Amino acid sequence: MTASQQTAQGAQAQTTQRPPDANAAAMNEEVTRLRQRIADLEQEMEARDTRATERTQSVQSQVDTHEQRAYEAERARQQRLARIQSGGQWMLAADQALEQGELNVDNALDIADQDFSVVGQSASTYGQGSVVVHSQRIRAQIAYARDAANRRDIYAARIALQTAGEELRLARAASLERAGTSNSLLNP
């Protein structure tokens, strides 16, 4: 037998072992299975990406909410401090007028009272109970000073304003502590 005959016989034997159509079908089946596996993996990756995106958006939304609350709480705190300053200046103006013998201090005391009313409402909204208490005490002393001035009791009016001034100092210190900011973040 010649070499070409042996090669032909080997090729024929190989063909009989596995016909070319069966070879192609097996390869097509393997390719189809691999394509399906790739499609399944891509679908799993998309599902994971979607879940990760949803979690990221949820976390970002929570962060944004907390940042907004912190911003609002800080802005309110700054406004309270400005109102405390304003109310204190009006109380000082009333005290100086009383020191000069002027008894008509109702307007200055009304403005100061309004400032501390706003301070108390804002502090209550943002959980600063001590500021609320101090602002209520200040308002009570302002009312007492107004009543004393109307009775022409300059000494009692000035003592009430001095007591209100001490409460003002405490309210300002409590506002500077930023307790409301941290509380609003802990209590969504």
Side-chain angles (χ1 to χ4, degrees), residues 28 32-33 54 121 158:
N28 281 340
T32 302
R33 191 180 62 75
E54 289 171 356
Q121 291 169 0
R158 291 192 70 206

Side-chain angles (χ1 to χ4, degrees), residues 24-41:
M27 287 181 72
N28 281 340
E29 188 179 308
E30 182 68 16
V31 167
T32 302
R33 191 180 62 75
L34 289 173
R35 283 185 180 152
Q36 183 59 46
R37 181 68 180 138
I38 290 171
D40 291 345
L41 289 173

